[in-house]
Amino acid sequence: MLQRKIGSSYWETSAIALGIMRMSALTSSKAAAVLETALESDINFIDSADMYGDGKSELIFGAALKEANISRDKFFIQSKGGIVTGDDKRYDFSKQHLLDSVDGILDRMGIDYLDSYLLHRPDPLMEPEEIAEAFDLLQASGKVRHFGVSNFNPEQFQLLQSYVDQKLLINQLQFSIMHTGMIDYGMHTNMTDTRSFDHDGGVLEFSRRKGVTIQAWSPFQYGFFEGVFVDNDKFPELNELLDKLAKKYETNKNAIATAWILRHPANMQVILGTMNPTRIKESAAGGDVTLTKQEWYDVYFAAGNDLP
């Protein structure tokens, strides 16, 4: 299994992480089996958010950790905060909300600290001075060891970084074979077609230059949660090639889709969202596959992309 140095060199963990957004639908016993499968597959990174299942995902995770008798130190545990759901729907990066968010996460999970805490989507009303105070308190208390963001563009990232003392190590961004905007525009520079549009402010290049780890979420989705592309009849050419490569590397389609992301030199970390133990094993196998450059491009083309 490939390893990733988060934020270039702050700590090393598995290149594939397990996201627990869907864990709220499981019993603690089934969730325990999921965690056991993750460890058996050399996945030691957990990604969560305080709003997943309105907090139930983290409650189930905490119960599963105990039921499986897995030591907290077996996992690098990350969660996110800043999204308020329900009748008072909003983004909220206020100092008190962030402090309360972390306390709630730790209580639900039954743990003493988070390895990393991310701001979950940018709040246009954020006041960086408040965030800096919250980060200082969370770090000083030992409740959070490292910090990052999710779905921030470079200007938002740099604005926040200019106020906080802690290096922002992570930016969580959607990326997959069927969601390639971060790389499309770079190849279509100086052109006027739709693929030349830069929707993200050069966030991929920015992250590489700053040593920020991109965590790729929805690695098997097309569109915005429209569905998975693996074994989807809408994408026959892509699935035919995934199957061909899976046979060559004696693995499976999910592994090839994972390997395609990991092949990019930005050293991304892939966040799996499945709660199916078989799918976890299949996807984790991608950490043992290194596609050639031609194979990487062939997959890119099979997904409907081109070169200018």
Side-chain angles (χ1 to χ4, degrees):
M1 168 69 73
L2 286 174
Q3 298 289 302
R4 283 290 176 264
K5 290 184 177 180
I6 303 298
S8 295
S9 61
Y10 277 72
W11 84 92
E12 191 170 74
T13 181
S14 56
I16 299 171
L18 179 68
I20 64 168
M21 182 175 71
R22 297 178 176 87
M23 191 167 276
S24 60
L26 304 184
T27 64
S28 59
S29 295
K30 288 186 177 180
V34 166
L35 297 182
E36 290 168 347
T37 299
L39 287 176
E40 290 167 3
S41 303
D42 294 326
I43 296 172
N44 65 0
F45 195 104
I46 299 294
D47 173 69
S48 182
D50 59 4
M51 50 86 68
Y52 288 167
D54 289 327
K56 187 178 178 183
S57 290
E58 294 181 336
L59 282 171
I60 296 296
F61 172 81
L65 202 63
K66 292 179 180 178
E67 188 165 332
N69 197 28
I70 297 173
S71 170
R72 184 261 178 266
D73 294 335
K74 290 289 185 180
F75 286 117
F76 292 84
I77 301 176
Q78 168 178 286
S79 192
K80 302 180 288 292
I83 297 180
V84 179
T85 58
D87 293 337
D88 296 324
K89 183 178 180 181
R90 68 184 188 280
Y91 295 156
D92 191 343
F93 287 175
S94 64
K95 174 183 173 181
Q96 194 58 53
H97 180 80
L98 296 180
L99 296 177
D100 291 344
S101 167
V102 171
D103 284 343
I105 292 165
L106 298 179
D107 183 60
R108 287 188 294 274
M109 288 186 161
I111 59 178
D112 296 327
Y113 69 93
L114 290 171
D115 290 283
S116 49
Y117 179 68
L118 312 186
L119 300 182
H120 200 177
R121 292 197 174 277
D123 174 11
L125 300 181
M126 74 174 179
E127 298 180 57
E129 300 92 339
E130 276 202 65
I131 298 171
E133 290 178 14
F135 280 11
D136 286 345
L137 288 170
L138 291 169
Q139 188 175 60
S141 65
K143 294 178 181 179
V144 178
R145 295 188 173 180
H146 303 289
F147 298 87
V149 298
S150 180
N151 305 294
F152 272 47
N153 67 37
E155 286 299 325
Q156 293 164 337
F157 189 102
Q158 295 212 89
L159 171 63
L160 179 60
Q161 186 65 87
S162 68
Y163 281 86
V164 302
D165 291 332
Q166 300 81 5
K167 178 175 170 58
L168 301 174
L169 305 181
I170 295 162
N171 196 355
Q172 203 170 97
L173 302 162
Q174 185 177 7
F175 186 70
S176 75
I177 292 170
M178 294 297 298
H179 193 97
T180 54
M182 285 195 296
I183 57 176
D184 295 341
Y185 91 95
M187 289 187 283
H188 289 251
T189 295
N190 201 36
M191 300 184 69
T192 58
D193 60 319
T194 57
R195 292 183 185 274
S196 70
F197 298 162
D198 176 12
H199 297 281
D200 310 303
V203 69
L204 175 60
E205 293 80 6
F206 171 83
S207 299
R208 293 181 69 180
R209 186 162 52 86
K210 294 293 187 178
V212 176
T213 296
I214 291 176
Q215 294 179 333
W217 58 269
S218 286
F220 308 117
Q221 294 274 331
Y222 68 95
F224 188 74
F225 291 112
E226 292 183 43
V228 297
F229 55 79
V230 177
D231 292 328
N232 190 322
D233 292 340
K234 290 183 178 180
F235 311 105
E237 183 180 352
L238 174 58
N239 277 282
E240 182 179 348
L241 181 55
L242 292 177
D243 185 59
K244 178 181 177 181
L245 292 172
K247 289 176 180 175
K248 172 186 174 181
Y249 288 100
E250 299 181 340
T251 187
N252 63 88
K253 292 180 184 179
N254 286 316
I256 298 301
T258 300
W260 187 85
I261 297 173
L262 295 176
R263 180 63 179 80
H264 194 282
N267 293 318
M268 300 182 198
Q269 189 179 30
V270 176
I271 301 179
L272 307 181
T274 181
M275 292 289 100
N276 183 315
T278 298
R279 294 260 178 91
I280 292 172
K281 291 178 183 178
E282 289 178 350
S283 303
D288 298 320
V289 175
T290 302
L291 299 176
T292 67
K293 285 190 174 183
Q294 187 60 59
E295 289 167 345
W296 187 91
Y297 272 100
D298 288 344
V299 170
Y300 182 70
F301 299 147
N305 300 299
D306 62 2
L307 296 182

